[in-house]
Amino acid sequence: MKIKNKNVILNEYKKKIKLLKSHNKSYFTDDSPKILDSDYDQLKKQILDLENKYPFILNKYSSINTIVGAPVTNKFEKIKHLKPMLSLSNAFDKNNMIDFIKKINNFLSLSSKNLEIFSEPKIDGISATLIYENGILTRGLSRGDGIFGENILENIKTISSIPKIIKGRNIPKLLEIRCEIYIGKKDFESLKDNFANPRNAAGGSLRQKNSKETAKIPLKYFAYGYGEIKPMIFKKQSEFLKKISEWKFSTNPLVKIVNDINDIENQHKKIDSIRSTLDYDIDGIVYKINDLALQKRLGNTSNSPRWAIAYKFSAEKAVTKIKDIAIQVGRTGAITPVAKVEPVTVGGVVVSNATLHNEDEIERKDIRIGDTIMIQRAGDVIPQVVSVDTSKRDKSSKKYSFPKKCLCGADTKKELSKSTNKQDAVRRCFKGYDCKFTAKEKLKHIVSKEAFNIDGLGKRVIEQFWDLNLIKEPSDIFRLDYNKIKKLEGWGELSISNLKKAIDKSQTISLDKFIFSIGIRHIGQENAKILSSFFGSIKEFTKLFDIKNRKKILVNLVDLDGIGETQVNSINNFFSNITNARIIKDLIVELNIREYAVKNNDGKFSNKKLMFTGGFKNMSRSEAKAIAENNGGKVLGSISKKLDFLVVGDSKPTKKKVEQAKQLNIEIILEKDWNNILNG
């Protein structure tokens, strides 16, 4: 009987370990977790409890503490970390933190009064490590399994805020910076049709084989720690972060030194109370011993440091019931299902709507009207449905049938991605401005802060003016009948005067903001800047209206870094729509669109036009282009007589471009010459 019980326990343990490894692959390798972080943490805790309760388990199996991350894939070069990238042990309540401090004091034979503890938010992103030799970024690795990581240097280099060269004094010969890479919640709004969550988007972008694709994603990061440093010049964690901040690394501003359990609890509650207002996801606070000498004395267990712990936040969840499922149409025609739920308080906010993401998500979770559901709010405007309690489902319940038509009545469809050869998860209406629901959302985008930035003309006002037929198309904004507005409730002389001033001011707009504003699918702010640089003026841009000119232009656009086949097809589809073309032409008439301005007219390439081909050894082509622009040059995407220089990298340059340049007597700069110019 005793042996049978042992076998039952061992089988239970084995199943949980197998499940954990499966979730590790989903989280660390696929960037697509199948369960909530809180549920994952609970699974780990159950395994540890089994190990502690039944020591005989470890006679047969290795401890869970030997499992870190997931094995690296064959997609990228596999490189061993200079120092292992370990996981953190978790704390879930005050007692766990008391135990953490007690163990440290016992290990070091210190009193708690002597401890300085450094606290910083735990970013829910993708871990990476940056290696600098003599101040130059030479390697960039993913976490991988903690021992070996993937070489994702070229993708990391596309994050402009990461220093490629450290400038300053006393820079160690070898400096390894650990960081967490993420996508801001606001930036994720333009990507949410293609990714499940910000972490999934960040991970997928960093694991692109083509760094041009990564460059299109607005990745950000926070540096939080270090690996190898030679010579070691720091004595405290706080000193380390202060110094690397001076070296232009991004560090989190919400850090603080605490001294005892009361300080720890107060900081935990304070950050928890504001986390929904932050532009990045956090799931707890990391507490570290501030003194690096003490960190060294404490050392590590097999998979986590003894001197640090992650104090997790409780998930902001609530149980409610779905009253109805409504369909919303976005500015790109995306059809998004939203659950109308019985009002419930989640994280201090009363919630009546929850996003269902897309048709596939509804089918996967089998979500139905009338279901009792668990919803979670993590700072998003609309919470998400986590799970369905099928035990409370009515027997007469029927599966939800996702509508195949848009609210405007047009047929919808899912696109097939040419890069992945997979069907898009999102169903769309492709009528553009011909769909009144899409048209209204495009108007909301046009007046937004990132576009025309018209104060006083927000989403609610657009809704009101739309219903009153005051604004139906973008050009209507600049032809408003203010006499009609005067008759509306809540509109006095001052508010009307302020609105008129804001609209008048917005009539002058830069070319890149205009391109971003008109709402071409797949054309974000960075793409718009690239296109603005290519066209130079609105006169050149309007050549897209003519089909013959458009075909010639689109061929050249493919050569631009940051613009791929997806963007080119989207531009073609947009301008092929007669209504889209008419509406944008009418808008242009109302505007003063400034020509593209070179960032800096002074420099080694002042007023010169350059084009790049081939790869470079010491920098990405994107970085080379940025250097050219920062030195007064203008980067073009095609060979023409206007070109001054063709810069040719050593790795796989396009022979056709080199031959064309020779025929046109354009000066060719080889990679070694390029390096000499930069260093001269």
Coordinates of all heavy atoms in Angstrom, one line a residue, residues 133-181:
E133 N 31.6 45.5 -25.4 CA 33.0 45.4 -25.3 C 33.7 46.7 -25.7 O 33.5 47.2 -26.8 CB 33.5 44.3 -26.2 CG 33.0 42.9 -25.8 CD 33.4 41.8 -26.7 OE1 34.5 41.4 -26.7 OE2 32.5 41.3 -27.5
N134 N 34.4 47.3 -24.7 CA 35.0 48.6 -24.9 C 33.9 49.7 -25.3 O 34.2 50.5 -26.2 CB 36.1 48.6 -25.9 CG 37.3 47.7 -25.5 OD1 37.7 47.8 -24.3 ND2 37.8 46.9 -26.4
G135 N 32.7 49.5 -24.8 CA 31.7 50.5 -25.0 C 30.8 50.2 -26.2 O 29.9 51.0 -26.5
I136 N 31.2 49.2 -27.0 CA 30.4 48.9 -28.3 C 29.6 47.7 -28.1 O 30.0 46.6 -27.6 CB 31.4 48.7 -29.4 CG1 32.3 50.0 -29.6 CG2 30.7 48.3 -30.7 CD1 33.4 49.8 -30.6
L137 N 28.3 47.8 -28.5 CA 27.4 46.7 -28.4 C 27.8 45.6 -29.4 O 27.8 45.8 -30.6 CB 26.0 47.1 -28.7 CG 24.9 46.1 -28.7 CD1 24.7 45.4 -27.3 CD2 23.5 46.7 -29.1
T138 N 28.2 44.4 -28.9 CA 28.7 43.3 -29.8 C 27.8 42.1 -29.8 O 27.8 41.3 -30.7 CB 30.1 42.9 -29.3 OG1 30.0 42.5 -28.0 CG2 31.1 44.0 -29.5
R139 N 27.0 41.9 -28.7 CA 26.1 40.8 -28.7 C 24.8 41.1 -28.0 O 24.7 42.0 -27.1 CB 26.7 39.6 -27.9 CG 27.6 38.7 -28.7 CD 28.3 37.7 -27.9 NE 29.5 38.3 -27.2 CZ 30.2 37.6 -26.3 NH1 29.9 36.4 -26.0 NH2 31.2 38.2 -25.7
G140 N 23.7 40.4 -28.4 CA 22.4 40.6 -27.8 C 21.7 39.3 -27.8 O 21.5 38.7 -28.8
L141 N 21.4 38.7 -26.6 CA 20.9 37.4 -26.5 C 19.5 37.4 -25.8 O 19.3 38.2 -24.9 CB 21.9 36.5 -25.7 CG 23.3 36.4 -26.1 CD1 24.1 35.5 -25.2 CD2 23.4 35.9 -27.6
S142 N 18.7 36.4 -26.1 CA 17.5 36.2 -25.4 C 17.8 35.3 -24.2 O 18.9 34.8 -24.1 CB 16.5 35.4 -26.3 OG 17.0 34.1 -26.6
R143 N 16.8 35.2 -23.3 CA 17.1 34.3 -22.1 C 17.3 32.9 -22.5 O 18.2 32.2 -21.9 CB 15.8 34.4 -21.2 CG 16.0 33.5 -19.9 CD 14.7 33.3 -19.2 NE 14.2 34.5 -18.5 CZ 14.7 34.8 -17.3 NH1 15.5 34.0 -16.7 NH2 14.2 35.9 -16.7
G144 N 16.5 32.3 -23.4 CA 16.6 30.9 -23.7 C 16.3 30.1 -22.5 O 15.3 30.3 -21.8
D145 N 17.2 29.1 -22.2 CA 17.0 28.2 -21.1 C 17.8 28.7 -19.9 O 17.9 28.0 -18.9 CB 17.4 26.8 -21.4 CG 18.9 26.6 -21.8 OD1 19.6 27.6 -21.7 OD2 19.3 25.5 -22.0
G146 N 18.3 29.9 -20.0 CA 19.1 30.5 -18.9 C 20.6 30.3 -19.0 O 21.4 31.1 -18.5
I147 N 21.0 29.2 -19.7 CA 22.4 28.9 -19.9 C 22.8 29.3 -21.3 O 23.8 29.9 -21.5 CB 22.7 27.4 -19.7 CG1 22.2 26.9 -18.3 CG2 24.1 27.1 -19.9 CD1 22.9 27.6 -17.1
F148 N 21.9 28.9 -22.3 CA 22.2 29.3 -23.7 C 21.0 30.2 -24.1 O 19.8 30.0 -23.8 CB 22.2 28.1 -24.6 CG 23.5 27.3 -24.4 CD1 23.6 26.3 -23.5 CD2 24.6 27.6 -25.2 CE1 24.7 25.5 -23.3 CE2 25.8 26.9 -25.1 CZ 25.9 25.8 -24.1
G149 N 21.3 31.2 -24.9 CA 20.3 32.1 -25.4 C 20.4 32.2 -26.9 O 21.4 31.6 -27.5
E150 N 19.5 32.9 -27.5 CA 19.5 33.1 -29.0 C 20.1 34.4 -29.3 O 19.9 35.4 -28.7 CB 18.0 33.1 -29.5 CG 17.3 31.8 -29.3 CD 15.8 31.9 -29.5 OE1 15.2 32.9 -29.1 OE2 15.2 31.0 -30.1
N151 N 20.9 34.4 -30.4 CA 21.6 35.6 -30.9 C 20.6 36.5 -31.6 O 20.3 36.2 -32.8 CB 22.8 35.2 -31.8 CG 23.5 36.4 -32.3 OD1 23.3 37.6 -31.8 ND2 24.4 36.2 -33.3
I152 N 20.0 37.5 -31.0 CA 19.0 38.3 -31.6 C 19.6 39.8 -31.7 O 18.8 40.7 -31.6 CB 17.7 38.3 -30.8 CG1 17.9 38.6 -29.3 CG2 17.0 37.0 -31.0 CD1 16.6 38.8 -28.5
L153 N 20.9 39.9 -31.9 CA 21.5 41.2 -31.9 C 20.9 42.2 -32.9 O 20.6 43.3 -32.6 CB 23.0 41.1 -32.1 CG 23.8 42.4 -32.2 CD1 23.7 43.2 -30.9 CD2 25.3 42.1 -32.6
E154 N 20.8 41.7 -34.2 CA 20.3 42.6 -35.2 C 18.9 43.1 -34.9 O 18.5 44.3 -35.2 CB 20.3 41.9 -36.6 CG 21.7 41.6 -37.1 CD 22.6 42.8 -37.1 OE1 22.1 43.9 -37.6 OE2 23.7 42.8 -36.6
N155 N 18.1 42.3 -34.3 CA 16.7 42.7 -33.9 C 16.8 43.7 -32.7 O 16.0 44.7 -32.7 CB 15.8 41.5 -33.5 CG 15.5 40.7 -34.7 OD1 15.6 41.1 -35.9 ND2 15.1 39.4 -34.5
I156 N 17.7 43.5 -31.8 CA 17.8 44.4 -30.6 C 18.3 45.7 -31.1 O 17.9 46.8 -30.6 CB 18.8 43.8 -29.6 CG1 18.0 42.7 -28.8 CG2 19.4 44.8 -28.7 CD1 18.9 41.9 -27.8
K157 N 19.2 45.8 -32.1 CA 19.7 47.0 -32.6 C 18.6 47.9 -33.2 O 18.8 49.1 -33.4 CB 20.8 46.8 -33.7 CG 22.1 46.4 -33.1 CD 23.2 46.3 -34.2 CE 24.6 46.1 -33.7 NZ 25.6 46.0 -34.8
T158 N 17.5 47.3 -33.6 CA 16.4 48.2 -34.2 C 15.7 49.0 -33.1 O 15.0 49.9 -33.5 CB 15.3 47.3 -34.9 OG1 14.7 46.5 -33.9 CG2 16.0 46.4 -35.9
I159 N 16.0 48.7 -31.8 CA 15.4 49.5 -30.8 C 16.3 50.8 -30.6 O 17.4 50.7 -30.0 CB 15.3 48.7 -29.4 CG1 14.5 47.4 -29.7 CG2 14.6 49.6 -28.3 CD1 14.5 46.5 -28.5
S160 N 15.8 51.9 -31.1 CA 16.7 53.1 -31.2 C 17.2 53.6 -29.9 O 18.3 54.2 -29.8 CB 15.9 54.2 -31.9 OG 14.8 54.5 -31.2
S161 N 16.4 53.3 -28.8 CA 16.8 53.9 -27.5 C 17.9 53.0 -26.8 O 18.4 53.4 -25.7 CB 15.6 54.0 -26.6 OG 14.9 52.7 -26.5
I162 N 18.2 51.9 -27.3 CA 19.3 51.1 -26.8 C 20.6 51.6 -27.4 O 20.8 51.6 -28.6 CB 19.2 49.6 -27.2 CG1 18.0 48.9 -26.4 CG2 20.5 48.8 -26.9 CD1 17.8 47.5 -26.6
P163 N 21.6 52.1 -26.5 CA 22.8 52.6 -27.0 C 23.6 51.5 -27.8 O 23.8 50.4 -27.3 CB 23.6 53.0 -25.7 CG 22.5 53.1 -24.7 CD 21.5 52.1 -25.0
K164 N 24.1 51.9 -29.0 CA 24.9 51.0 -29.8 C 26.4 51.2 -29.3 O 27.2 50.3 -29.4 CB 24.8 51.3 -31.3 CG 23.3 51.4 -31.8 CD 22.5 50.2 -31.4 CE 21.0 50.3 -31.9 NZ 20.2 51.4 -31.3
I165 N 26.7 52.5 -28.9 CA 28.0 52.8 -28.4 C 27.8 53.6 -27.1 O 27.0 54.6 -27.1 CB 28.8 53.7 -29.4 CG1 29.0 52.9 -30.7 CG2 30.1 54.1 -28.8 CD1 29.7 53.7 -31.8
I166 N 28.4 53.2 -26.0 CA 28.3 53.9 -24.8 C 29.3 55.1 -24.7 O 30.5 54.9 -25.0 CB 28.5 53.0 -23.6 CG1 27.6 51.8 -23.6 CG2 28.3 53.8 -22.3 CD1 27.8 50.8 -22.6
K167 N 28.8 56.3 -24.5 CA 29.7 57.4 -24.4 C 29.7 57.9 -22.9 O 28.7 58.1 -22.3 CB 29.2 58.5 -25.3 CG 29.2 58.2 -26.8 CD 28.7 59.3 -27.6 CE 28.7 58.9 -29.1 NZ 28.2 59.9 -30.0
G168 N 30.9 58.0 -22.4 CA 31.0 58.5 -21.0 C 32.4 58.1 -20.4 O 33.3 57.6 -21.2
R169 N 32.6 58.3 -19.1 CA 33.8 58.0 -18.5 C 33.8 56.7 -17.7 O 32.7 56.2 -17.3 CB 34.2 59.1 -17.5 CG 34.5 60.4 -18.2 CD 34.9 61.5 -17.2 NE 35.3 62.7 -17.8 CZ 35.7 63.8 -17.1 NH1 35.7 63.7 -15.8 NH2 35.9 64.9 -17.7
N170 N 34.9 56.1 -17.5 CA 35.1 54.9 -16.7 C 34.2 53.7 -17.2 O 33.6 53.0 -16.3 CB 34.8 55.2 -15.2 CG 35.7 56.3 -14.7 OD1 36.9 56.3 -15.1 ND2 35.2 57.2 -13.9
I171 N 34.0 53.5 -18.5 CA 33.2 52.5 -19.0 C 34.0 51.1 -18.9 O 35.1 51.1 -19.4 CB 32.7 52.7 -20.4 CG1 31.9 54.0 -20.5 CG2 31.9 51.5 -21.0 CD1 31.7 54.5 -21.9
P172 N 33.4 50.1 -18.2 CA 34.2 48.8 -18.1 C 34.5 48.3 -19.5 O 33.7 48.5 -20.4 CB 33.2 48.0 -17.4 CG 32.3 48.9 -16.6 CD 32.1 50.1 -17.5
K173 N 35.6 47.6 -19.6 CA 35.9 46.9 -20.9 C 34.9 45.9 -21.3 O 34.6 45.7 -22.5 CB 37.3 46.3 -20.7 CG 38.5 47.2 -20.6 CD 39.8 46.5 -20.6 CE 40.9 47.6 -20.6 NZ 42.3 46.9 -20.6
L174 N 34.3 45.2 -20.3 CA 33.2 44.3 -20.6 C 32.1 44.6 -19.7 O 32.2 44.7 -18.5 CB 33.7 42.8 -20.3 CG 32.6 41.7 -20.5 CD1 32.2 41.7 -21.9 CD2 33.1 40.4 -20.0
L175 N 30.9 44.9 -20.3 CA 29.7 45.3 -19.6 C 28.5 44.6 -20.1 O 28.2 44.7 -21.3 CB 29.5 46.9 -19.7 CG 28.2 47.4 -19.1 CD1 28.2 47.2 -17.6 CD2 28.1 48.9 -19.4
E176 N 27.9 43.8 -19.3 CA 26.7 43.1 -19.7 C 25.5 43.6 -19.0 O 25.4 43.6 -17.7 CB 26.8 41.6 -19.3 CG 25.7 40.7 -19.8 CD 25.8 39.3 -19.5 OE1 26.8 38.9 -18.9 OE2 25.0 38.5 -19.9
I177 N 24.5 44.2 -19.8 CA 23.3 44.8 -19.2 C 22.1 43.9 -19.4 O 21.9 43.4 -20.6 CB 23.0 46.1 -20.0 CG1 24.2 47.1 -19.8 CG2 21.7 46.8 -19.4 CD1 24.4 47.8 -18.5
R178 N 21.4 43.6 -18.4 CA 20.2 42.8 -18.4 C 19.0 43.7 -18.6 O 19.0 44.7 -17.8 CB 20.1 41.9 -17.2 CG 21.3 40.9 -17.0 CD 21.1 39.6 -17.8 NE 22.3 38.8 -18.0 CZ 22.7 37.9 -17.2 NH1 22.0 37.6 -16.1 NH2 23.7 37.1 -17.6
C179 N 18.1 43.4 -19.4 CA 17.0 44.3 -19.6 C 15.7 43.5 -19.9 O 15.7 42.3 -20.2 CB 17.3 45.3 -20.8 SG 17.5 44.5 -22.4
E180 N 14.6 44.2 -19.8 CA 13.3 43.6 -20.2 C 12.7 44.4 -21.3 O 12.5 45.7 -21.2 CB 12.4 43.7 -18.9 CG 11.2 42.7 -19.0 CD 11.5 41.3 -18.7 OE1 12.7 41.0 -18.3 OE2 10.7 40.4 -18.9
I181 N 12.4 43.8 -22.4 CA 11.9 44.5 -23.6 C 10.4 44.3 -23.7 O 9.9 43.2 -23.4 CB 12.6 43.9 -24.9 CG1 14.1 44.2 -24.8 CG2 12.0 44.5 -26.1 CD1 14.9 43.5 -25.9

